Amino acid sequence: MVLPFKHEPFTDFKVEENRKQFEAALSAVRTELGKEYPIVINGEKIYTDDKLVSINPSNKDEVIGKVSKATKEHVEQAFASAVEAYEKWRKVPVEDRAHILFRAAAIVRRRKHEFSAWLVHDAGKPWDQADGDTAEGIDFLEYYGRQMLELEKGKPVVDRANENNKYFYKAMGPGVVIPPWNFAFAIVCGTAAAPIVAGNPVLLKPSENTPVIAYKLVEVLEEAGLPKGVLNFVPGDPKEIGDYLVDHKDTHFINFTGSRATGVRIFERAAKIQEGQQHLKRVIAEMGGKDTIIVDETADLDLAAESIVHSAFGFSGQKCSACSRAVIHEDVYDEVLEKSIEIAKTLTIGNPSEENVYMASVVNQTQFDKIKNYIEIGKEEGELVFGGEADDSKGFFVHPTIFKDVDPNARIMQEEIFGPVVAFSKAKDFDELLEIANNTEYGLTGAVISTNRDHLERAREDFHVGNLYFNRGCTAAIVGYQPFGGFKMSGTDSKAGGPDYLQHFLEAKIVSEQF
Ligand code: NAD
């Protein structure tokens, strides 16, 4: 008997005891930095000379770990291991598979601050963001275990007098998991655990920015009793092994989360049937966002400013759900902008592995340069009213940045920046607020700040995003509460952490017996 799913609580860092425990975890992890990590194929740990070197983005000189790089030959071995493991793993009783996830959740929960401390060092996450990332990982393990126990029952179909019908779900075959770096534990956990509990061995290729924390999950699942070959860990250069993983004839699904460009490439390549391939590949592609908060003239303006600032600058705007567009009714535009600037002035920036700050660096030099470039573009397209500074001398620090009076079709209103930059635009009525909200190719998250019931109900139907929020910010979806996934070019709307998610990795079968 398994109790219903319960969301893992967040740590309150206002409590001194919690802060002390977290500092102790940061110190403990610091003593582990710089180690070497292997590829894992069929349970075997393989070290190569060629390594991915992961650094602390808030302190570029600090090496977090060196992770062995898989070649195409390693990928080939990993497929062989997954194909072999599939025959046994798919027949392991669902309850046993689910309990491996529950045990893994228990292990991570016991070492929660340690995992979060790795995220602070490896991904440059501020403490609360790292804590949320670890909690979400635990939630995915607990939630998908329970969902699989439910799905195992199949769905009811009708019997006739001389006939018995059974409709049930079965695993589909080995697949590939390709996560991003920005939820370096949670998304790795969720995107790997879901196909695994459904009975499918996987090849996990972590992001080259955050491979160390991904390896920690591999260790946990091994400790929890996952058989060899079910989770093969193949870190590497995506240019070298990315296409190979996607194109392989034994790939049954690609569970991808990342940018639009990579997602589209994978989607197109996966459609091509390879020699020896006897199935169509499924692609789950959760991609970028250009997320809007709209504020009408009836809104609570303090709530509006709080929601915009925290959705735009939490984790330096490096969330697919981050608010990068604030579209405000002209009657309250100046006031919301002023209030937002005042709140942004209070945000602290620094190295999270040393102190509890609100914002840290962005993830790497490429992102730093890209964001800086967009700030220059923003200066042409609107008026810079706050921030704009960037400094990569120690780490990749970009200050919270606000532009006002930006045309809804401007580049900084249309293109995903993935940094702490938000553009403000004005609209004359609710029709125009909605029209601007919908005028990008993305459709991931959005929020409406309003006390007008008619406006909220219109947005419920006509604001075209997968995750829409009323009177709150547009980030921080929680497993089991707000299943996550986007419309349009934000992806395949898989709704991670929701009741339909596991079906992406299952095939429904009907067996009809005559008497
Ligand atoms: P990215 O596309 O650069 O990389 C994502 C993953 O794809 C990485 O593991 C990378 O190594 C791999 N990859 C790169 N090229 C590949 C190729 N040719 N073949 C196979 N794999 C390849 O994205 P990123 O910078 O890691 O993540 C940020 C992006 O992810 C943003 O666009 C963000 O909006 C998006 N994101 C979306 C969601 C969502 O749920 N919709 C969640 C988090 C992040």
Side-chain angles (χ1 to χ4, degrees):
M1 172 72 186
V2 177
L3 293 172
F5 169 74
K6 232 172 101 196
H7 158 57
E8 179 69 19
F10 299 129
T11 306
D12 181 356
F13 289 110
K14 289 199 277 305
V15 177
E16 169 141 16
E17 182 58 23
N18 291 342
R19 280 205 306 274
K20 281 199 174 134
Q21 282 178 7
F22 202 78
E23 275 162 3
L26 284 170
S27 301
V29 165
R30 208 168 286 125
T31 66
E32 301 272 310
L33 299 183
K35 286 193 171 166
E36 301 200 345
Y37 298 90
I39 299 163
V40 183
I41 299 172
N42 200 23
E44 192 192 337
K45 306 207 165 43
I46 303 163
Y47 290 84
T48 58
D49 292 337
D50 197 9
K51 301 271 197 313
L52 292 169
V53 178
S54 180
I55 59 158
N56 180 345
S58 294
N59 176 11
K60 295 186 286 184
D61 296 335
E62 192 167 61
V63 173
I64 304 307
K66 296 173 190 161
V67 182
S68 299
K69 267 180 166 175
T71 60
K72 285 179 189 160
E73 289 70 35
H74 292 118
V75 170
E76 202 53 51
Q77 289 167 28
F79 271 112
S81 135
V83 167
E84 193 186 326
Y86 176 59
E87 287 313 316
K88 279 197 188 143
W89 180 240
R90 70 192 176 93
K91 291 182 181 163
V92 169
V94 165
E95 195 167 339
D96 295 353
R97 286 193 235 142
H99 274 275
I100 291 174
L101 265 53
F102 299 148
R103 286 201 288 275
I107 294 167
V108 179
R109 191 178 289 114
R110 178 166 52 81
R111 294 165 50 191
K112 195 168 160 186
H113 289 337
E114 178 196 330
F115 275 82
S116 303
W118 275 107
L119 285 161
V120 169
H121 289 294
D122 201 7
K125 287 216 157 183
W127 298 8
D128 60 334
Q129 302 287 334
D131 184 68
D133 195 329
T134 309
E136 189 176 359
I138 295 170
D139 283 350
F140 278 132
L141 294 165
E142 295 280 4
Y143 184 82
Y144 291 144
R146 284 168 176 75
Q147 282 299 313
M148 196 58 222
L149 289 173
E150 226 7 77
L151 279 176
E152 196 214 0
K153 298 173 192 157
K155 293 276 162 72
V157 282
V158 185
D159 279 340
R160 288 183 290 194
N162 58 347
E163 188 179 82
N164 169 256
N165 297 318
K166 188 165 190 240
Y167 184 89
F168 60 101
Y169 295 101
K170 57 173 283 294
M172 56 193 297
V176 174
V177 174
I178 306 180
W181 52 267
N182 69 328
F183 282 83
F185 185 67
I187 294 185
V188 175
C189 226
T191 53
I196 285 176
V197 79
N200 309 294
V202 305
L203 279 71
L204 166 63
K205 192 213 71 59
S207 164
E208 55 281 18
N209 291 305
T210 50
V212 174
I213 183 76
Y215 179 74
K216 297 277 158 193
L217 175 71
V218 177
E219 280 183 334
V220 165
L221 283 164
E222 186 182 286
E223 185 184 341
L226 193 70
K228 290 181 179 26
V230 176
L231 173 56
N232 300 282
F233 183 61
V234 285
D237 181 347
K239 287 196 191 72
E240 219 174 286
I241 59 169
D243 288 347
Y244 197 77
L245 284 159
V246 170
D247 295 350
H248 202 279
K249 70 171 175 48
D250 292 326
T251 297
H252 287 70
F253 59 86
I254 299 119
N255 196 10
F256 169 80
T257 309
S259 64
R260 177 197 188 285
T262 313
V264 168
R265 180 189 178 91
I266 289 174
F267 197 74
E268 287 175 0
R269 295 190 77 95
K272 180 155 177 26
I273 309 299
Q274 306 293 329
E275 204 182 321
Q277 181 183 328
Q278 296 185 328
H279 55 271
L280 297 174
K281 292 174 187 172
R282 282 197 199 157
V283 178
I284 299 94
E286 294 306 311
M287 312 193 292
K290 191 68 191 169
D291 310 303
T292 312
I293 294 183
I294 63 178
V295 181
D296 75 6
E297 70 285 14
T298 71
D300 172 337
L301 304 187
D302 290 312
L303 172 67
E306 284 284 337
S307 305
I308 292 166
V309 169
H310 293 299
S311 302
F313 303 134
F315 190 37
S316 303
Q318 299 174 108
K319 299 181 186 179
C320 51
S321 55
C323 167
S324 53
R325 322 163 89 220
V327 185
I328 320 283
H329 190 284
E330 59 189 9
D331 291 355
V332 294
Y333 179 85
D334 289 337
E335 208 175 329
V336 174
L337 181 63
E338 270 312 305
K339 284 178 188 287
S340 302
I341 293 171
E342 288 311 308
I343 301 169
K345 282 181 188 163
T346 67
L347 305 180
T348 53
I349 305 178
N351 180 349
S353 42
E354 284 165 6
E355 51 179 337
N356 189 7
V357 286
Y358 182 83
M359 265 174 73
S361 57
V362 298
V363 72
N364 58 26
Q365 188 75 55
T366 310
Q367 270 304 113
F368 177 86
D369 293 342
K370 180 176 159 194
I371 298 163
K372 247 183 90 174
N373 186 41
Y374 271 112
I375 291 174
E376 292 310 310
I377 293 169
K379 288 177 189 168
E380 305 285 312
E381 295 182 328
E383 187 182 333
L384 176 69
V385 287
F386 187 74
E389 303 92 355
D391 175 4
D392 62 350
S393 51
K394 261 204 108 178
F396 307 109
F397 291 96
V398 184
H399 286 242
T401 298
I402 302 177
F403 287 100
K404 74 167 187 178
D405 300 348
V406 184
D407 185 281
N409 294 309
R411 285 184 66 190
I412 62 163
M413 282 289 282
Q414 292 292 329
E415 297 170 18
E416 188 182 45
I417 300 172
F418 221 55
V421 180
V422 61
F424 277 64
S425 275
K426 208 182 274 184
K428 62 179 183 315
D429 55 25
F430 197 72
D431 285 342
E432 196 180 4
L433 284 170
L434 260 187
E435 189 187 309
I436 298 173
N438 286 328
N439 85 342
T440 80
E441 63 172 1
Y442 293 106
L444 191 48
T445 77
V448 185
I449 315 292
S450 168
T451 57
N452 180 319
R453 177 49 53 191
D454 290 343
H455 287 175
L456 294 174
E457 293 310 321
R458 273 195 56 202
R460 191 187 298 275
E461 288 302 317
D462 296 339
F463 194 151
H464 300 303
V465 293
N467 283 58
L468 180 62
Y469 302 100
F470 292 163
N471 291 316
R472 52 160 282 185
C474 59
T475 62
I478 289 180
V479 170
Y481 290 62
Q482 292 100 15
F484 195 78
F487 299 164
K488 296 159 77 179
M489 292 312 287
S490 291
T492 49
D493 192 33
S494 68
K495 288 291 180 276
D500 300 328
Y501 189 70
L502 288 186
Q503 298 194 14
H504 298 297
F505 313 103
L506 291 163
E507 285 176 328
K509 186 168 182 176
I510 180 90
V511 178
S512 184
E513 185 173 353
Q514 289 280 326
F515 297 100

